[in-house]
């Protein structure tokens, strides 16, 4: 794959977007697959909060494992191409969108200013309830916030 990418894109620059919170990423994926709601853009997407998604801890774990597998392949691709991607976590992006996007643009060689985000965060009480249920059922200690 590295040879094909190098042939098609002689001097590629990479951004590796990932999520630190693997559990919440997996829960988000379950909800998106089950509801068909992959993003929320006010005025551009249909909002239906009525869908109830069944809890499935094994499915959540499979999605966490699959995500780890995929990120491993990306890291292997970057290594095979001797590339140093700009890494950006979802958490950093949502905590400080402007700074995160500005740094990514600078890495890509642009001095453009980021546009305002259109998408809205989708996490809600239902997704957080699923996260907490997973933690309770799998008896994983939740660190205290202090």
């Amino acid at each position: 794959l590295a040879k094909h990418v190098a042939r098609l894109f002689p001097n590629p620059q990479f951004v590796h977007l990932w999520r630190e919170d693997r559990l919440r990423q997996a829960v988000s994926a379950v909800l998106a697959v089950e509801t068909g709601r992959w993003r929320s853009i006010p005025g551009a997407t249909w909002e239906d909060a009525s869908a109830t998604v069944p809890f499935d801890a094994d499915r959540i774990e499979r999605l966490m494992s699959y995500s780890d597998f995929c990120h491993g392949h990306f890291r292997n691709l970057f290594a095979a191409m001797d590339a140093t991607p700009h890494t950006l976590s979802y958490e950093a992006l949502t905590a400080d969108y402007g700074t995160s996007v500005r740094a990514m643009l600078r890495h890509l060689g642009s001095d453009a200013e980021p546009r305002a985000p259109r998408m809205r965060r989708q996490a809600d009480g239902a997704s957080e309830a699923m996260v907490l249920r997973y933690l309770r059922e799998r008896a994983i200690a939740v660190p205290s916030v202090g």
Side-chain angles (χ1 to χ4, degrees), residues 13 15 86 98-115:
Q13 295 294 314
V15 175
H86 175 78
T99 299
S100 296
V101 174
R102 198 171 291 109
M104 178 192 65
L105 290 170
R106 298 306 172 268
H107 173 79
L108 298 173
S110 172
D111 61 356
E113 282 299 307
R115 295 181 183 172

Side-chain angles (χ1 to χ4, degrees), residues 18-141:
W18 61 288
R19 187 146 181 192
E20 295 171 31
D21 192 329
R22 298 166 57 247
L23 173 56
R24 283 181 175 79
Q25 179 184 17
V27 166
S28 177
V30 167
L31 294 170
V33 167
E34 290 297 320
T35 64
R37 187 171 165 221
W38 293 89
R39 64 191 150 282
S40 177
I41 302 172
T45 56
W46 178 65
E47 303 292 327
D48 178 18
S50 63
T52 302
V53 177
F55 177 79
D56 184 344
D58 292 333
R59 183 177 187 190
I60 291 168
E61 287 177 355
R62 284 192 305 274
L63 284 166
M64 285 191 287
S65 294
Y66 182 67
S67 178
D68 293 344
F69 173 81
C70 291
H71 285 293
H73 278 287
F74 275 110
R75 285 189 298 274
N76 289 340
L77 174 65
F78 301 144
M81 296 187 72
D82 197 27
T84 303
H86 175 78
T87 59
L88 176 58
S89 74
Y90 168 85
E91 288 79 3
L93 184 63
T94 58
D96 191 346
Y97 177 84
T99 299
S100 296
V101 174
R102 198 171 291 109
M104 178 192 65
L105 290 170
R106 298 306 172 268
H107 173 79
L108 298 173
S110 172
D111 61 356
E113 282 299 307
R115 295 181 183 172
R118 294 184 336 143
M119 283 195 276
R120 175 176 75 200
R121 198 168 176 186
Q122 290 183 212
D124 58 13
S127 58
E128 194 60 21
M130 192 175 285
V131 166
L132 293 174
R133 181 173 174 187
Y134 175 87
L135 292 170
R136 269 193 314 275
E137 290 191 11
R138 294 299 195 220
I140 296 173

